[in-house]
Amino acid sequence: MQAAHIPPNRLQALRQFLEEETPEPDRQVRQVAGLVGAASCSLMLLGSPGESDACMSIQAHHGPLPDAALQAAIRRGEGISGQVLARGSAVLVDDIAHSEFAALARRGTALGCSLMSAPIRVEGRVAGVINA
């Protein structure tokens, strides 16, 4: 799997933006999408972070997303985002159609697109996932 190149200045801007004291989720996902050049971006958060069977759902998004993704309640290990939640480590896929995650993708007509999915940590615990 070949990693996509993101210029260091964009990564620094993204890091600074995500460290803001008073984040606005809708604005953040738009900015993240722009900084990494993504057509869409979503922010998924756990309903009850301390529960082992807690589900994540999309709290904010930018760009086109399938209805199934907007309405989904994802548990640890389910789909790509659920695997990122369970592992606590990011995933970067250059071509989803030719990856180990192809069967898990919810964008049937958009297969072939790249994907980044990263855990969101709050006080050392994974509280959600951001996807671009």
Side-chain angles (χ1 to χ4, degrees), residues 18-128:
L18 292 175
E19 290 176 347
E20 284 183 0
E21 293 284 328
T22 55
E24 296 175 28
D26 290 323
R27 188 169 67 92
Q28 281 190 323
V29 294
R30 278 193 310 273
Q31 180 112 11
V32 168
L35 288 169
V36 299
S40 64
C41 183
S42 64
L43 171 68
M44 302 181 79
L45 297 175
L46 283 170
S48 302
E51 296 178 16
S52 62
D53 65 342
C55 292
M56 283 189 305
S57 61
I58 293 178
Q59 302 298 307
H61 78 282
H62 169 73
L65 290 176
D67 289 339
L70 291 170
Q71 299 166 3
I74 305 297
R75 285 182 166 52
R76 291 180 197 282
E78 291 180 349
I80 298 168
S81 296
Q83 287 189 15
V84 169
L85 177 68
R87 290 187 222 169
S89 60
V91 169
L92 176 60
V93 180
D94 187 45
D95 184 349
I96 192 99
H98 298 96
S99 76
E100 63 187 285
F101 301 105
L104 301 175
R106 294 184 185 271
R107 302 178 144 231
T109 59
L111 285 177
C113 296
S114 58
L115 165 78
M116 292 188 303
S117 186
I120 299 168
R121 296 184 189 281
V122 176
E123 296 179 0
R125 296 181 120 174
V126 178

